Amino acid sequence: MAEEKSARTKDVVDSTVHLDVKDYYGRVLKKTSDLKSNACVAPSQPLPAFIRQALKNVHPEVCARYYGCGLVVPECLEGCRILDLGSGSGRDCYMLSQLVGEKGHITGIDMTEDQLKVARTYVDYHMQKFAYKKPNVSFVQGYIEALTEAGLEKNSFDIIISNCVVNLSPDKKRVLTEAYSVLKDGGELYFSDVYSSGRVTEEIKNHKVLWGECLGGALWWKDLLLLAEEVGFSTPRLVTASVITVDNKELQDILGDFRFVSATYRLFKIPKGNTKPCQVMYNGNITGVEDSFLFDCQYTFKVDEVVEIDGELASILTHSRFVEDFSFKPPGGPYLSKSVHWFNLWTDPLK
């Protein structure tokens, strides 16, 4: 077993793609302005005041070495254990550290030594700034395709986030499989990444700059749906998406007619089975979205407003950290708060 584990790890470590990415993000890129396209630059969008403040508290050097393509801040974070895949310089980790609070914990994993060095340098700085008695952030060197081999326990995280990193992996299915393994039941993979309008050509895949700029490894969005189903996740639910323009003629000529978007999806580790639609009311107790909670591009919940939801979303809400934040109504019955046990009986009478 030990030899098998060592062989699997060696497969990851020896990957040419990983070595190229390490070189690009460790040696070539020193600051955001070194990027040769805008694929990995977060789009301008209004942010809630509490997130803007959390970002202001992050050290300038950590922010300068940040190369994300979106904003990965899911809701209902207090006290959660969160894993950041490809945490880089640690910007998102330090932002989320403030949102989970001293009782929560953030783990960042990255394979690039130079990025981890920046992240680890400022642990004490941020804990003092947040007035925490002990650190609630830690960083692990490892590969996102080999989380358990990096020492991360199975079924140990409430949420996994990732910001423009999954596209850099040559084995996306392995990334999703590992993420599923370390998530708790009811846990969520909430990640922003770059997606293409079709399966990109070998020429694009083999272009080191395009891969480093998050375009060469971009997944066709339909393949994400297939991979998620194969691994066991719920159907990916699109939260936000924005079109990427590649303002670099040399790179655009190679990309041809392929189009790219930066998109955020949420996937859940929930039980499989036939689940019925139902009606729900949001109670407004989630920090930052007290009046209106945009769950995905299809559902926005307003406080005390009745919304009919599909069966899979009903299962997500009742098996995840959101169960305390909604009241549920069975067909023809009254609304029931905190009704996960009733919901299980309704959907599966053998439980």
Side-chain angles (χ1 to χ4, degrees):
M1 181 62 73
E3 292 180 0
E4 180 183 348
K5 177 178 178 181
S6 176
R8 289 199 306 269
T9 304
K10 189 175 185 296
D11 288 343
V12 175
V13 173
D14 288 346
S15 164
T16 301
V17 172
H18 287 97
L19 295 176
D20 288 342
V21 171
K22 278 185 179 182
D23 183 66
Y24 200 71
Y25 283 84
R27 184 184 63 83
V28 177
L29 298 182
K30 296 299 181 183
K31 53 189 181 299
T32 304
S33 58
D34 291 333
L35 292 164
K36 293 178 174 58
S37 76
N38 65 352
C40 289
V41 177
S44 175
Q45 56 182 320
L47 302 177
F50 74 100
I51 294 179
R52 291 200 304 270
Q53 183 57 51
L55 288 171
K56 287 180 182 178
N57 291 334
V58 179
H59 193 280
E61 184 178 357
V62 171
C63 292
R65 295 290 298 271
Y66 163 77
Y67 311 120
C69 69
L71 186 68
V72 284
V73 188
E75 308 79 11
C76 196
L77 301 181
E78 292 88 345
C80 286
R81 290 181 54 83
I82 300 178
L83 173 63
D84 183 1
L85 302 181
S87 53
S89 65
R91 191 205 77 158
D92 288 349
C93 290
Y94 289 124
M95 171 186 61
L96 292 167
S97 167
Q98 302 164 73
L99 304 185
V100 300
E102 205 163 0
K103 293 182 179 179
H105 191 274
I106 311 295
T107 301
I109 184 169
D110 202 277
M111 66 179 180
T112 309
E113 295 89 343
D114 290 347
Q115 289 281 70
L116 285 170
K117 183 178 180 180
V118 174
R120 288 168 172 161
T121 296
Y122 295 102
V123 171
D124 290 342
Y125 167 88
H126 288 100
M127 295 306 104
Q128 291 176 14
K129 191 172 186 65
F130 306 158
Y132 289 170
K133 294 179 180 178
K134 61 179 182 179
N136 73 340
V137 177
S138 59
F139 296 97
V140 175
Q141 184 167 7
Y143 296 86
I144 62 176
E145 303 91 344
L147 300 179
T148 52
E149 291 161 32
L152 304 180
E153 295 182 9
K154 294 183 178 180
N155 306 308
S156 61
F157 292 97
D158 300 293
I159 306 167
I160 297 176
I161 66 163
S162 176
N163 199 336
C164 205
V165 170
V166 175
N167 68 83
L168 297 173
S169 171
D171 192 344
K172 274 76 168 174
K173 183 176 180 180
R174 191 163 171 178
V175 174
L176 294 183
T177 300
E178 285 288 293
Y180 190 89
S181 176
V182 301
L183 274 176
K184 297 177 183 178
D185 290 340
E188 176 181 15
L189 171 59
Y190 184 98
F191 73 112
S192 180
D193 221 290
V194 176
Y195 296 90
S196 61
S197 57
R199 294 191 180 104
V200 297
T201 64
E202 290 301 314
E203 179 188 10
I204 294 174
K205 287 182 180 179
N206 293 329
H207 195 286
K208 290 184 179 181
V209 172
L210 284 175
W211 193 283
E213 296 277 326
C214 302
L215 298 170
L219 195 65
W220 184 30
W221 66 272
K222 288 186 178 180
D223 281 339
L224 173 65
L225 306 184
L226 295 174
L227 290 178
E229 182 179 10
E230 289 177 12
V231 170
F233 277 110
S234 62
T235 304
R237 305 188 79 95
L238 178 65
V239 182
T240 60
S242 58
V243 175
I244 291 172
T245 57
V246 182
D247 300 326
N248 182 306
K249 187 178 185 306
E250 180 183 351
L251 297 181
Q252 185 60 65
D253 288 344
I254 299 171
L255 293 171
D257 294 331
F258 282 100
R259 292 171 289 115
F260 299 87
V261 295
S262 170
T264 299
Y265 283 94
R266 56 196 331 160
L267 293 67
F268 288 84
K269 182 178 179 178
I270 57 171
K272 301 300 179 184
N274 296 323
T275 309
K276 299 177 182 178
C278 71
Q279 293 182 338
V280 300
M281 286 194 301
Y282 172 51
N283 65 24
N285 289 337
I286 300 178
T287 301
V289 291
E290 291 85 355
D291 297 323
S292 180
F293 173 16
L294 189 155
F295 185 84
D296 59 22
C297 63
Q298 183 179 358
Y299 290 100
T300 296
F301 300 107
K302 296 181 180 179
V303 66
D304 295 333
E305 180 179 275
V306 177
V307 178
E308 185 162 347
I309 60 175
D310 62 69
E312 186 174 59
L313 180 52
S315 183
I316 288 172
L317 294 182
T318 53
H319 289 97
S320 69
R321 67 188 186 280
F322 297 115
V323 64
E324 303 290 332
D325 300 303
F326 288 85
S327 297
F328 302 83
K329 181 182 179 181
Y335 283 99
L336 300 174
S337 299
K338 303 178 183 179
S339 52
V340 64
H341 298 302
W342 161 83
F343 187 85
N344 284 337
L345 289 172
W346 173 46
T347 54
D348 186 353
L350 297 179
K351 286 190 176 182

